[in-house]
Amino acid sequence: MGGNISKGIILAGGNGSRLYPVTRVICKQLLSIYDKPMIYYPLATLMQFGIRDILIISTPQDIEHFRRLFGEGRNLGLDISYAVQDRPEGIAQAFLIGRDFIGTGPVALILGDNIFYGISGIAPEIDRFRAGALIFGYFMQHPERYGVIEYDLEGKVIGIEEKPKKPKSNFAVTGFYIYDAGVIDIAAGLKPSKRGELEITDVNNAYLKQGRLKVVKLGRDAAWLDTGTYESLRHAGNFVAAIENRQGIKLGCIEEVALQCGLVEMDQFCALVEDMPENEYKNYLIEILTGQGHAL
């Protein structure tokens, strides 16, 4: 997979208030979701769609943790850079912080606490993207915690409402967004909401008003998990464990994704595996090598 979009931002900031006291010394995006750090999953999603130029945005106290975890990303065939979000002032702030990184081309933004599964079907939409905004809707029984998409009787999107008390549909906007470079100017022109934040919903509505917003619904075979609460953390861990133990595959395995997507050659992959300490994760990657007729 891979197309017109080469740059992606992972927003891994926030103040971690909902997960206090666990996040008192470490940000939630470094917490474990079953057998990997949370941030592995959104990074793997970007890699899955051929996005290899990555900007990780995090807090002043956490940014070095990510730098130690990934470095420059070259061993994964990536180019990873870092930026600090001094204060969490909304998702749309990522475009102002990443202004120089974005430049004049399109960019994907994914939230560092979001996990996606079974979304390979959206690859054609991503490959066709050239301008405007592309976001993804997900059917939820209770979408009140998110931006909720409003449709008219003909199924046309007519608005997005942030955290409505009475949702006008069951489709929530997921934490994976794609925009052209015009998003920088839109974000720069936003006024903070009552929460004191630059709302991503306001960005999406700006594109909608321009007639340049496309919403794609994720299919029933897809899963979207937002891990911002203790309950959702537990559900996400259980979900990943169930898939991995039943199917014998690993979700969010960035080394495997790098090999599958051609971001690294086999010799680079072998070096990655060889450098790991002996553990179950390494054994899984050795099985991939064995299955392709290679050995360390």
Side-chain angles (χ1 to χ4, degrees):
M1 298 180 193
N4 189 45
I5 303 164
S6 62
K7 293 185 176 183
I9 297 173
I10 302 177
L11 183 57
N15 53 28
S17 56
R18 286 188 296 173
L19 294 176
Y20 185 90
V22 172
T23 50
R24 186 174 178 180
V25 295
I26 192 169
C27 67
K28 63 181 175 180
Q29 293 85 1
L30 289 169
L31 297 177
S32 170
I33 299 296
Y34 189 48
D35 56 355
K36 298 165 222 75
M38 184 187 297
I39 196 172
Y40 271 42
Y41 299 93
L43 177 58
T45 296
L46 294 182
M47 295 168 64
Q48 173 186 353
F49 296 111
I51 298 171
R52 55 196 306 167
D53 194 357
I54 310 289
L55 175 67
I56 296 177
I57 299 176
S58 191
T59 64
Q61 60 269 28
D62 291 308
I63 196 71
E64 290 305 317
H65 296 314
F66 292 107
R67 200 186 301 272
R68 284 197 295 272
L69 185 61
F70 298 123
E72 296 178 347
R74 291 177 182 172
N75 60 343
L76 294 168
L78 304 175
D79 184 1
I80 299 179
S81 52
Y82 303 87
V84 170
Q85 183 184 40
D86 290 314
R87 294 179 303 278
E89 296 177 344
I91 295 172
Q93 188 186 27
F95 304 114
L96 304 181
I97 296 171
R99 181 192 301 266
D100 292 339
F101 169 79
I102 296 169
T104 60
V107 65
L109 170 68
I110 192 167
L111 303 185
D113 62 355
N114 277 216
I115 297 174
F116 291 87
Y117 173 75
I119 63 169
S120 59
I122 67 173
E125 294 286 354
I126 295 176
D127 288 344
R128 286 193 292 265
F129 180 85
R130 293 298 180 271
L134 175 63
I135 62 174
F136 304 96
Y138 187 76
F139 186 92
M140 303 189 73
Q141 188 172 359
H142 301 290
E144 297 88 350
R145 288 179 47 224
Y146 307 97
V148 176
I149 305 164
E150 180 182 0
Y151 298 90
D152 64 15
L153 295 177
E154 298 178 348
K156 181 181 178 182
V157 177
I158 57 175
I160 300 173
E161 188 176 4
E162 182 68 18
K163 296 181 173 63
K165 292 182 179 179
K166 295 183 179 179
K168 294 176 181 175
S169 84
N170 287 96
F171 281 91
V173 178
T174 72
F176 184 30
Y177 321 84
I178 297 172
Y179 302 103
D180 60 22
V183 71
I184 298 172
D185 290 334
I186 290 176
L190 295 181
K191 294 181 179 180
S193 65
K194 293 180 180 179
R195 301 192 300 165
E197 297 187 357
L198 302 179
E199 302 286 355
I200 197 69
T201 292
D202 291 340
V203 171
N204 293 329
N205 278 323
Y207 275 101
L208 178 62
K209 187 175 181 179
Q210 296 173 3
R212 301 199 305 131
L213 175 73
K214 183 171 186 179
V215 180
V216 173
K217 295 177 179 177
L218 297 183
R220 290 177 176 266
D221 55 342
W224 169 52
L225 302 162
D226 170 19
T227 56
T229 66
Y230 286 118
E231 188 68 6
S232 59
L233 274 175
R234 183 176 66 84
H235 284 311
N238 290 343
F239 176 83
V240 172
I243 295 293
E244 293 193 359
N245 292 325
R246 177 169 298 213
Q247 298 186 12
I249 61 173
K250 284 196 178 296
L251 307 188
C253 181
I254 54 179
E255 296 84 3
E256 181 180 16
V257 175
L259 181 64
Q260 290 177 339
C261 295
L263 299 176
V264 297
E265 301 294 337
M266 182 58 71
D267 59 340
Q268 294 173 280
F269 182 77
C270 289
L272 271 173
V273 178
E274 196 163 13
D275 284 344
M276 293 180 183
E278 298 300 324
N279 54 50
E280 187 269 337
Y281 191 87
K282 179 176 183 176
N283 291 340
Y284 172 77
L285 295 175
I286 290 174
E287 289 179 8
I288 294 174
L289 284 171
T290 304
Q292 296 194 16
H294 295 268
L296 288 181

